[in-house]
Amino acid sequence: MKYSEVDVSKLTPMMRQYIDIKNKYKDIIIFFRLGDFYEMFFEDAILASKILEVALTGRNAGLDERIPMCGVPYHSAQIYIEKLVEQGYKVGICEQLEDPETTKGIVKRDVVQIISKGTLIDNESLVEYENNYIGSLVYFNNAYGLSYTDISTGELYVSIIDSNISKVISEVINTGLKEVVVSEKVDSNIISILKHQFKLVITVHESYDISGYEKLYSDLNDFRMIETIKHLLSYIDQTQKRSLIHFQKAVVKEENQYLKMDVHTKRNLELTETLRLKQRNHSLIWLLDKTKTAMGSRLLKKWIENPLINKEEINRRHDIVETLIKEFIIKNDLQTTLQEVYDLERLSGRVAFGNCNARDLIQLKNSLKVLPDIKASLEKINYYKVLDTIDELYELLEKSIYETPPVGLKEGYLIKEGYNSELDELKDLRKGGKDFLARFEAEERARTGIKNLKIGYNKVFGYYIEVSKGNIGLIKDEYGYERKQTLSNCERYISPILKEKEAMILNAEEKIIELEYQLFVEIREKVKEYIPRLQEVSKIISEIDVLQSFSTVAEENNYVRPVITDERFVNITSNRHPVVEKVIDGEFVPNNIIMDKNTDILLITGPNMAGKSTYMRQMAITVIMAQIGSFVPANEAVMPIFDAIYTRIGASDDLVSGESTFMVEMKEANYAISNATKNSLILFDELGRGTATFDGMALAQAIIEYIHNEIGAKTIFSTHYHELTDLEETLPRLKNIHVSAHEENGNITFLHKIKEGSVDKSYGIHVAKLAQLPTSLINRASAILKVYETTEAKRDIKIQQVLPLDELVNTPKKSAVEQELELINPLEITPIEALNILYKLKQKISEEKNEEEVKL
């Protein structure tokens, strides 16, 4: 049964209300509040019952048949909402906007918030060490505007991207958006790829109608950036329906501010998740994350994905890390105090959204409490920023909120004594009432002689006197008790004196709860005024947290400070792969990476499994670590600043779009050589292997020559085409290196050591032997290999220019027979003439064969 097909005139008033709301939010699953449950109806109920695994029932709604319905408890709705959102659905929270007890007729309801992947704000729903970004993509004739924000923290970024589909998609995926809001003019191909290939939540939204947030983009001059931000803010405003005062000024993200890496490079290098299992464990961030705060952990991820290219800022970070290593006592004090700091960014967001509770404010207070100690530590190391301790906010929270308040805001026990005189008077009144109850209970026990008589309370008939079954006979008429409830083990009574005091006690209790709630809301509003200052504190805390993490990792793993040079040479001695070193059982074999001013390309050969890919990856990771401000895994490291890293490592067929390994290889190679500069780093691992041998070899050589002659970028190129090693003779800035292996008695041992020069053997069959393929198969492969090697030796074909390549590609000289055939026109000769010509040509062929045999 579909809601759009029912006869609305037959529906009950409440279901008509539901249909009116559903018609406004057709593509959203409506959680319709009814008492202590959120109910779903019609198609929403059928869909949600399957995903949430809850019972699908029915409800009478005025129609001839019951309508589909399912529901979830209000108090545990969050886990159900998260499950639907994780599946890519949007959930509309439809609340009662009036008090049912004071409203006649149908309670007014409406959607108060729309929750989707990019708009989750509850701490329980969010990964603390990751930002939850929602973005906006707007088309402007020849360019795209991209803005994105984390609603929970208020960070806001904006950039302009060239109107190139690959570039736009790469930027969106690189940013890690969970949801994208697009304007109608956005290319449908972009929408399709983002939605189906990368499984992003996509919403088409056209409104730019938003005001009151001009301060967020007042510093911007590019109208495209302003329009893109307004597009995003209007969507958030319409779906969240609450204040966004915690949003921070937009940060313009420009390409030339950071080291460029596309999504393939980040994945290949396993910066934030592993390639195979897509998990944080054993990635670079796993190794480097010794942060003490959630804010620091999120900032570390941003730094890893956006290394700096500003030498001054890089060196400043290195200076602080070096100072923290030397001043280890100060660092230890910092670590201790940082552990006491809660997530100030997201706490600020909860305050701004108006959904923080008293426990959140206690977390805020406890964080503020240690700020003076952190400030003192920062002053000792001459930190370049001054920390604001916001003492007045701490004093406000210290004198107002109880240390252990309840989760709910209408349960009382929120506000301390001494904060508000009216509240104190009510508490005294309540205390007097409760003292009376204690005295009354004691007096009644003495008067009746019933030692287990007690005073209780429930919402049905208020305060009562409870007497066990065995003592009922002791109740006399003169006591004035009136039986109110009979239970299996006791009787409950009320008395005139108890009823008289009850009104006073309950009235005071209700007033206290109401007043405490009002006071809490006032305090929360005051805290909102401090949000900008709290956000500045968050930036300093998260930054020093990441830097102390770098210093801890450097100490634990014996990393060194890299020297950043303005000259174009790399000199890294005893370099290690930081993650592999940490996880392997044995000892990691370090290697030097030397690329002087006269060397741009290292051509690396050697057997599979010997460590070529690891060598290339550790070079890139060392560069990234250096440019985010970390020390690096080496004995010594001197390197320039790289503006980009381009990689093609590993086989990753693009099965979703139907592209083969080779096509993906060529696309990634094209992206690299089209965008790289002489200050870039290029890592190509066995490029060209996805096609026929000579095709691949020819392409590999052409790409190497192009990089050498046209780009000049520092490049490591690994290959199994040993013929390519002859390029060292014709390309002056190319140098051969190889991974050594020791072969003895048909067995191979990988030494994992990089040496100068090339190797002329692949050891592929030896590797297969190590993989324990059947012996008969290995023997057959060895026999086949000998045949191929013999045949290849006879052909003696090489593709390098150092050999007479012209002989391979120039048109061969025509034979005498071919020359004579070209002069004959078959239409101008008689049959007899044709026979004579054929006889002569056969004679010439025989003569040419005899001449060839004499030559051989």
Side-chain angles (χ1 to χ4, degrees), residues 376-505:
S377 296
L378 295 182
E379 287 172 349
K380 287 176 185 174
I381 62 170
N382 295 316
Y383 195 68
Y384 71 105
K385 289 181 180 176
V386 178
L387 186 68
D388 181 1
T389 54
I390 323 183
D391 298 329
E392 62 272 34
L393 178 55
Y394 173 77
E395 294 300 328
L396 170 64
L397 297 175
E398 170 63 19
K399 69 182 182 182
S400 62
I401 307 292
Y402 273 123
E403 301 299 329
T404 54
V407 175
L409 298 180
K410 295 196 174 180
E411 299 174 28
Y413 203 72
L414 293 177
I415 308 298
K416 286 181 176 178
E417 284 85 357
Y419 179 72
N420 179 273
S421 57
E422 184 184 350
L423 180 63
D424 290 345
E425 288 176 11
L426 286 169
K427 285 182 177 179
D428 287 341
L429 188 60
R430 180 181 64 183
K431 186 175 183 296
K434 290 190 174 179
D435 288 345
F436 161 78
L437 290 174
R439 287 196 309 272
F440 181 75
E441 184 179 81
E443 289 169 0
E444 290 304 294
R445 283 179 179 177
R447 184 159 72 112
T448 62
I450 303 172
K451 292 183 178 179
N452 63 357
L453 178 149
K454 61 182 179 182
I455 306 299
Y457 173 82
N458 67 28
K459 291 184 178 179
V460 180
F461 46 82
Y463 287 102
Y464 55 79
I465 301 164
E466 185 173 288
V467 179
S468 63
K469 289 281 188 185
N471 291 313
I472 293 173
L474 299 175
I475 302 296
K476 298 177 182 178
D477 290 342
E478 66 247 34
Y479 297 159
Y481 288 5
E482 179 187 339
R483 183 182 280 111
K484 203 69 182 174
Q485 189 178 26
T486 301
L487 301 177
S488 61
N489 62 341
C490 66
E491 294 281 345
R492 289 176 176 174
Y493 304 88
I494 61 171
S495 76
I497 299 174
L498 199 55
K499 284 285 126 185
E500 185 183 324
K501 289 290 184 181
E502 180 184 285
M504 179 195 76
I505 296 168

Side-chain angles (χ1 to χ4, degrees), residues 152-168:
S152 68
T153 65
E155 300 160 83
L156 180 61
Y157 302 90
V158 64
S159 62
I160 298 297
I161 311 167
D162 295 337
S163 184
N164 174 291
I165 290 179
S166 296
K167 206 165 186 180
V168 172

Side-chain angles (χ1 to χ4, degrees), residues 100-224:
E101 293 182 8
T102 60
T103 305
K104 292 182 179 180
I106 297 297
V107 176
K108 186 178 179 183
R109 294 179 178 85
D110 204 354
V111 171
V112 297
Q113 185 185 9
I114 296 171
I115 303 173
S116 55
K117 273 193 177 181
T119 58
L120 288 168
I121 55 170
D122 287 312
N123 288 350
E124 296 78 15
S125 313
L126 300 170
V127 179
E128 67 172 16
Y129 51 76
E130 281 187 7
N131 281 100
N132 193 60
Y133 288 130
I134 178 172
S136 165
L137 196 60
V138 180
Y139 181 67
F140 298 98
N141 294 329
N142 59 350
Y144 280 92
L146 174 65
S147 66
Y148 57 95
T149 183
D150 182 340
I151 294 178
S152 68
T153 65
E155 300 160 83
L156 180 61
Y157 302 90
V158 64
S159 62
I160 298 297
I161 311 167
D162 295 337
S163 184
N164 174 291
I165 290 179
S166 296
K167 206 165 186 180
V168 172
I169 291 170
S170 178
E171 192 61 33
V172 169
I173 300 306
N174 246 341
T175 304
L177 303 184
K178 302 291 174 63
E179 181 177 353
V180 186
V181 184
V182 300
S183 64
E184 288 182 350
K185 292 181 180 177
V186 170
D187 192 316
S188 59
N189 290 321
I190 292 176
I191 295 173
S192 178
I193 292 170
L194 291 176
K195 189 172 184 178
H196 299 114
Q197 192 168 326
F198 293 100
K199 307 299 179 188
L200 293 184
V201 177
I202 306 292
T203 304
V204 179
H205 175 76
E206 268 311 294
S207 174
Y208 299 81
D209 183 21
I210 187 80
S211 61
Y213 297 102
E214 289 77 13
K215 66 172 186 177
L216 301 182
Y217 47 80
S218 59
D219 297 340
L220 304 180
N221 297 318
D222 191 327
F223 85 96
R224 298 173 300 179

Side-chain angles (χ1 to χ4, degrees), residues 128-131 280 285 288-304 338 341-345 537-550:
E128 67 172 16
Y129 51 76
E130 281 187 7
N131 281 100
R280 201 172 193 260
I285 196 170
L288 294 180
D289 194 354
K290 301 290 183 183
T291 58
K292 303 298 180 183
T293 68
M295 300 175 292
S297 192
R298 289 197 298 273
L299 182 65
L300 173 61
K301 187 171 188 284
K302 286 179 206 162
W303 282 11
I304 288 174
L338 285 171
V341 179
Y342 290 85
D343 197 338
L344 294 177
E345 285 180 327
V537 168
S538 301
K539 289 185 175 74
I540 296 174
I541 294 290
S542 52
E543 185 177 288
I544 192 62
D545 192 13
V546 175
L547 294 171
Q548 71 77 20
S549 179
F550 287 166

Side-chain angles (χ1 to χ4, degrees), residues 741-751 761 763 766 769-770:
H742 178 66
E743 184 185 359
E744 187 175 347
N745 299 325
N747 295 316
I748 187 171
T749 304
F750 297 123
L751 303 178
K761 201 168 184 180
Y763 301 102
H766 296 82
K769 191 175 179 182
L770 285 176

Side-chain angles (χ1 to χ4, degrees), residues 37 69 93 176 302 335 464 538 568 626 691 715 844:
F37 279 81
M69 181 187 85
I93 306 300
K302 286 179 206 162
Q335 289 175 328
Y464 55 79
S538 301
R568 292 189 68 254
T691 187
T715 303
K844 283 188 179 180

Side-chain angles (χ1 to χ4, degrees), residues 29 34 45 74 106 114 223 249 284 294 321 327 329 394 410 483 562 615 627 654 665 670 737 744 819 829:
I29 296 174
L34 288 175
Y74 162 75
I106 297 297
I114 296 171
F223 85 96
K249 278 197 170 187
L284 179 62
V321 173
E327 302 289 349
I329 295 176
Y394 173 77
K410 295 196 174 180
R483 183 182 280 111
Y615 181 74
Q627 291 186 213
D654 194 346
E665 274 188 5
N670 177 56
I737 59 174
E744 187 175 347
Q819 290 175 20
I829 58 175

